[in-house]
Amino acid sequence: MLSLKSLSLILVVVYGSLLLGGQVFAQDPVEKVTASTDVEATMKSMALAYKQAMVATNPSNMLSKVSKLKQLVASVQLVRFETDRQAILQQGLTEVQAQLELVNASLTEGDMTTAKQQLEKVDALKKQYHKKRSPSIWELLFGSD
């Protein structure tokens, strides 16, 4: 049977490990992503983060803007859209996140040229899915493609 001393020593070791582990994780800022409450405002913030990333002059600055952009996209991914558009919008957001992961990988290698080329594809995806998000009056009347 464990003595009280042994038990308290075990608790100190376990508790100390948990505290140390918590400190290690606390050094890496992890922001909780919540669903956007104003998709339009979030989209404007995404556009600003994109522009700032494109004009960044060093990989670390660009990486911080891309990280912000990834967080904003994740917050929009948590939004429930109209049923008829949910799947297509989520597909677009997923493609944007995948492209941002490629940008992130290029930046961790220090390759800003490739990262900016990959980031331009994010803009192309935005344009492609914005057309699907907001159909024209003619598409509403006669259908698309």
Side-chain angles (χ1 to χ4, degrees):
M1 183 165 195
L2 290 174
S3 69
L4 190 54
K5 249 186 198 180
S6 298
L7 183 60
S8 63
L9 181 59
I10 291 170
L11 288 175
V12 167
V13 170
V14 170
Y15 185 70
S17 298
L18 290 174
L19 284 178
L20 179 60
Q23 289 176 350
V24 170
F25 291 114
Q27 291 173 356
D28 298 331
V30 177
E31 296 184 38
K32 183 179 177 186
V33 177
T34 57
S36 173
T37 55
D38 186 351
V39 174
E40 187 176 341
T42 304
M43 292 290 188
K44 288 179 182 179
S45 296
M46 288 168 63
L48 178 62
Y50 173 84
K51 289 175 187 174
Q52 291 172 336
M54 287 300 286
V55 299
T57 57
N58 63 56
S60 64
N61 189 9
M62 189 175 184
L63 189 59
S64 72
K65 301 306 178 193
V66 170
S67 294
K68 176 68 175 173
L69 187 53
K70 286 171 53 177
Q71 180 187 8
L72 291 167
V73 171
S75 74
V76 175
Q77 283 180 301
L78 296 174
V79 173
R80 297 295 302 165
F81 297 101
E82 298 167 2
T83 309
D84 59 332
R85 293 199 179 122
Q86 177 70 24
I88 194 72
L89 294 176
Q90 288 299 329
Q91 177 185 347
L93 292 167
T94 301
E95 287 180 33
V96 167
Q97 282 290 36
Q99 191 63 37
L100 290 173
E101 287 299 325
L102 294 174
V103 173
N104 199 28
S106 294
L107 288 172
T108 55
E109 294 173 6
D111 187 356
M112 283 192 61
T113 304
T114 302
K116 285 190 179 190
Q117 290 170 349
Q118 292 167 330
L119 198 54
E120 287 174 353
K121 292 179 184 175
V122 169
D123 191 48
L125 287 169
K126 177 193 79 164
K127 290 175 183 173
Q128 174 186 346
Y129 282 95
H130 271 216
K131 287 180 185 174
K132 293 178 181 182
R133 178 194 66 143
S134 305
S136 70
I137 187 72
W138 303 112
E139 289 176 319
L140 292 173
L141 291 174
F142 300 111
S144 62
D145 299 341

